[in-house]
Amino acid sequence: MNPAKFALLLGVGLLSFLFVASLYVVWTRIVGLDPTLAQRCATFSLPGRALVALVSGALLGTGSLAAPNVRVGVAGMVLLAASTFAALMLFELAQQRERAAS
């Protein structure tokens, strides 16, 4: 295990997911959706937020360790962040359609 590689990949992962979280809230507001998932997560209690942080940190750390080199790790982290953003947008669009249908 290379500590420099691990720290770099973990930093890239954290920054990309912070960017995705911010972009998710801003983009949902721009397109006129309500960020329901963000609102649900904001109502979590302290142990709930700690559990979410622990699980996401463990996943990012495991991904950082599993990467064979830095290039693949950075590409994987960015691809995972982009996929997460797309999944969040699809979730919000489905929520919007469900509210409009009822």
Side-chain angles (χ1 to χ4, degrees):
M1 174 171 91
N2 184 351
K5 178 189 103 171
F6 176 75
L8 177 68
L9 291 178
L10 192 59
V12 166
L14 290 172
L15 285 175
S16 62
F17 279 94
L18 285 173
F19 179 73
V20 163
S22 302
L23 185 64
Y24 156 69
V25 173
V26 169
W27 188 253
T28 54
R29 295 296 185 179
I30 288 172
V31 296
L33 297 174
D34 200 23
T36 55
L37 192 61
Q39 292 169 349
R40 289 181 196 167
C41 291
T43 62
F44 285 169
S45 64
L46 182 61
R49 285 182 285 191
L51 182 64
V52 169
L54 181 68
V55 168
S56 62
L59 289 172
L60 285 175
T62 303
S64 296
L65 287 174
N69 59 40
V70 174
R71 290 172 125 181
V72 171
V74 169
M77 292 290 181
V78 171
L79 183 63
L80 184 62
S83 299
T84 302
F85 178 74
L88 286 170
M89 290 296 101
L90 288 174
F91 174 80
E92 293 299 338
L93 286 171
Q95 290 291 315
Q96 181 70 19
R97 285 188 76 179
E98 184 179 305
R99 276 184 289 213
S102 60

